[in-house]
Amino acid sequence: MPLKTVVIRTFRILAVAEAFSWAALLIGMYFKWIAKTTELGVEIAGPIHGALFVGYGVAALALWRFQRWPFVVALFAGVSAVFPFATIAFERWAGKRGHLTDNSARTAEVKEPAGV
């Protein structure tokens, strides 16, 4: 499997995981700051969200290079990580516009001669 395909797949997974980690962190923040019952949710979800946030950012930067995204697309990818659940919206938007397809894999498939 080409590296570009792996990065695209990883980016898609991280986009969803980062959004779920936002949800976990927000729930943890509720219990810490509003209910004032426990800090455990923030202590667990915080580092997980941080790691997924960084992973998503690294994958987005890699795709900016591999896919030759226009700067605006890369900017939207980065900004989407700042707002809860926006990474899923960006992933869907970018997927519909072809920013998350591996055209090099398709080109290689087309160039292979048909069996005789």
Side-chain angles (χ1 to χ4, degrees):
M1 184 179 312
L3 179 61
K4 188 190 289 189
T5 302
V6 171
V7 175
I8 290 169
R9 186 171 292 164
T10 301
F11 177 82
R12 286 180 177 267
I13 291 167
L14 286 170
V16 174
E18 199 269 351
F20 275 99
S21 73
W22 254 121
L25 184 58
L26 291 171
I27 291 167
M29 289 169 52
Y30 167 81
F31 283 107
K32 180 178 180 178
W33 299 106
I34 310 270
K36 297 184 191 251
T37 56
T38 182
E39 294 184 16
L40 190 61
V42 173
E43 290 172 358
I44 294 171
I48 292 170
H49 174 70
L52 291 170
F53 177 88
V54 170
Y56 174 86
V58 169
L61 288 172
L63 285 178
W64 182 20
R65 180 179 174 268
F66 287 143
Q67 296 288 84
R68 294 189 168 103
W69 282 352
F71 177 75
V72 173
V73 173
L75 180 66
F76 284 155
V79 169
S80 73
V82 176
F83 299 99
F85 317 112
T87 54
I88 292 175
F90 174 80
E91 185 268 334
R92 289 185 179 173
W93 176 87
K96 287 179 184 176
R97 282 156 184 77
H99 296 297
L100 298 176
T101 57
D102 187 357
N103 293 330
S104 63
R106 277 197 219 139
T107 305
E109 290 173 11
V110 172
K111 287 183 180 179
E112 289 180 15
V116 178

